[in-house]
Amino acid sequence: MSDFTPTEHTQVKRLPKRGKYDRETVHAILDAAFVCHVGFSVEGQPYVIPTNYGRSGDTVYLHGSAASRMLRTLSEGVPVCVTVTLVDGLVLARSAFHHSVNYRSVVMLGAARLVEDPAEKMEALRLFTEHVMKGRWNEVRWPTEQEMKATTVLALPLEEVSAKVRTGGPVDDEADYTLPVWAGVLPLEMVPKEPIADPQRKADQPLPAYIKNYSR
Ligand SMILES: Cc1cc2nc3c(=O)[nH]c(=O)nc-3n(C[C@H](O)[C@H](O)[C@H](O)COP(=O)(O)OP(=O)(O)OC[C@H]3O[C@@H](n4cnc5c(N)ncnc54)[C@H](O)[C@@H]3O)c2cc1C
């Protein structure tokens, strides 16, 4: 897989060796996460809105109510910045200054396109659902024409993209290694808990394997 080209906007400046531009890394981070933060400006006021997304190749799909300001604004093709963050651990150094976080993140810049073709729109909703929970789409009722009308789907091409990844333990000042302070990494992970069945269920459906074995 080829690399994205760093631009004046996406060149990582602080600790540039943590910057990654290869598609494999970018795609893997986008596939591991499912929440992004969408930054855009309306009349000089910046907003950063959390939302879900799906990915197909070099396209990220966003969706929501057709009445949503975020989606209405973005469908006009205004500049947008979409950020995805995964926190992998707390890096506990011997000094306050050198504390850090192990993370994987992606920043995407560009302009979104309104998805109007009904087949692409339905496929984007499938991808979106499967991105959050693989196996769900084939079990649930698919969107009706009315529901499709009430839903806006946007496509953001992955063009101006950077990833940044921090791994490993603390990097302390030489003189601090003798300090009597515990140092290391507290790994963090998102893990599913016991599923809670909806009390309004009409029949006792068995818990699907894709929920029982859910992991990201
Ligand atoms: C994990 C997660 C996933 C989500 N997934 C989706 C999705 O896939 N599609 C979707 O349409 N929406 C999603 N949302 C909701 C989304 O964040 C917005 O609330 C929603 O899109 C409504 O947007 P709007 O244009 O009506 O709000 P706006 O008109 O943009 O919001 C007006 C004001 O309301 C406040 N506001 C709006 N949303 C939030 C928020 N989430 N938290 C705090 N304040 C807020 C802000 O002050 C904002 O300026 C998700 C939220 C979260 C946290």
Side-chain angles (χ1 to χ4, degrees):
M1 272 194 272
S2 60
D3 288 3
F4 294 103
T5 308
T7 68
E8 57 167 325
H9 296 128
T10 57
Q11 177 62 56
V12 172
K13 295 178 186 74
R14 275 253 317 130
L15 300 174
K17 68 174 191 306
R18 292 185 186 159
K20 312 269 176 211
Y21 298 91
D22 60 288
R23 276 188 163 69
E24 210 177 333
T25 300
V26 169
H27 288 176
I29 295 170
L30 294 179
D31 292 349
F34 59 87
V35 176
C36 63
H37 286 82
V38 179
F40 57 96
S41 181
V42 180
E43 292 169 3
Q45 172 62 57
Y47 296 93
V48 178
I49 301 291
T51 196
N52 290 125
Y53 66 90
R55 179 185 78 85
S56 171
D58 272 351
T59 303
V60 163
Y61 289 103
L62 307 174
H63 98 308
S65 159
S68 155
R69 178 183 59 190
M70 174 178 78
L71 294 162
R72 269 189 290 116
T73 305
L74 297 190
S75 61
E76 290 161 12
V78 301
V80 61
C81 174
V82 177
T83 299
V84 168
T85 310
L86 291 161
V87 174
D88 295 322
L90 301 180
V91 181
L92 306 168
R94 292 158 184 85
S95 65
F97 181 79
H98 283 299
H99 278 71
S100 189
V101 172
N102 280 339
Y103 63 85
R104 289 165 286 157
S105 51
V106 167
V107 171
M108 301 163 261
L109 304 175
R113 163 179 67 84
L114 181 66
V115 175
E116 291 179 286
D117 173 59
E120 189 190 357
K121 194 168 173 181
M122 185 64 93
E123 173 59 7
L125 294 175
R126 186 191 72 79
L127 282 166
F128 195 90
T129 309
E130 289 288 295
H131 185 81
V132 178
M133 177 148 286
K134 202 167 168 42
R136 194 72 182 150
W137 183 258
N138 280 338
E139 283 199 358
V140 296
R141 175 179 68 71
W142 295 351
T144 61
E145 209 170 305
Q146 202 55 34
E147 289 169 336
M148 290 289 273
K149 266 196 201 134
T151 306
T152 293
V153 173
L154 299 177
L156 178 68
L158 291 182
E159 284 164 359
E160 229 180 330
V161 185
S162 56
K164 197 172 176 187
V165 177
R166 191 210 187 276
T167 56
V171 182
D172 270 307
D173 289 346
E174 207 48 53
D176 289 340
Y177 278 94
T178 53
L179 290 176
V181 180
W182 191 93
V185 174
L186 179 63
L188 297 175
E189 192 185 356
M190 181 161 57
V191 287
K193 296 175 84 169
E194 198 58 36
I196 303 165
D198 182 357
Q200 291 197 58
R201 66 193 183 283
K202 300 283 184 254
D204 248 341
Q205 295 292 337
L207 188 67
Y210 62 79
I211 301 177
K212 208 182 293 177
N213 305 322
Y214 188 81
S215 74
R216 296 200 74 80

